[in-house]
Amino acid sequence: TLARVFPDPVYLHAQIQLFPEFWKRPIDEREAAFVHELCHCITEELYNAVRASWRDEVVTRRDANERLERLTQRIAYVALGRVAKTA
């Protein structure tokens, strides 16, 4: 993990934490990681809705996290103008 985001989907505000390894990567990898974290701002509201359903445990937390990461990465590929890779 190169970075972590703390999004607020209500106020469209986010804080992004960049880990030391982030700065050791080539610029294209840093760009991709940063865009990925920004895309969490788009997907966070969906994630919050899924979390609300956990009371019934229809969707496990692990499954929801994996799906969120796939969705976020696909959005990041679009934002970067890349062809989406199968995740």
Side-chain angles (χ1 to χ4, degrees):
T1 302
L2 301 177
R4 180 171 55 178
V5 67
F6 304 93
D8 182 338
V10 175
Y11 295 105
L12 300 178
H13 172 80
Q15 290 183 323
I16 297 178
Q17 179 181 13
L18 304 174
F19 296 113
E21 183 63 27
F22 177 89
W23 301 106
K24 298 175 185 175
R25 298 298 178 96
I27 187 73
D28 60 325
E29 286 183 36
R30 292 194 314 253
E31 177 188 42
F34 192 81
V35 168
H36 174 92
E37 296 307 318
L38 286 176
C39 288
H40 276 290
C41 297
I42 297 168
T43 61
E44 186 68 12
E45 208 157 357
L46 172 64
Y47 182 63
N48 289 341
V50 169
R51 282 187 9 203
S53 74
W54 287 344
R55 289 184 302 267
D56 299 328
E57 293 299 323
V58 174
V59 177
T60 66
R61 290 177 189 221
R62 182 177 182 166
D63 184 48
N65 283 331
E66 289 174 358
R67 290 170 187 261
L68 175 65
E69 286 301 318
R70 283 194 302 269
L71 174 61
T72 301
Q73 190 57 48
R74 288 177 183 142
I75 293 168
Y77 286 137
V78 170
L80 290 166
R82 297 181 185 166
V83 175
K85 299 177 183 176
T86 303

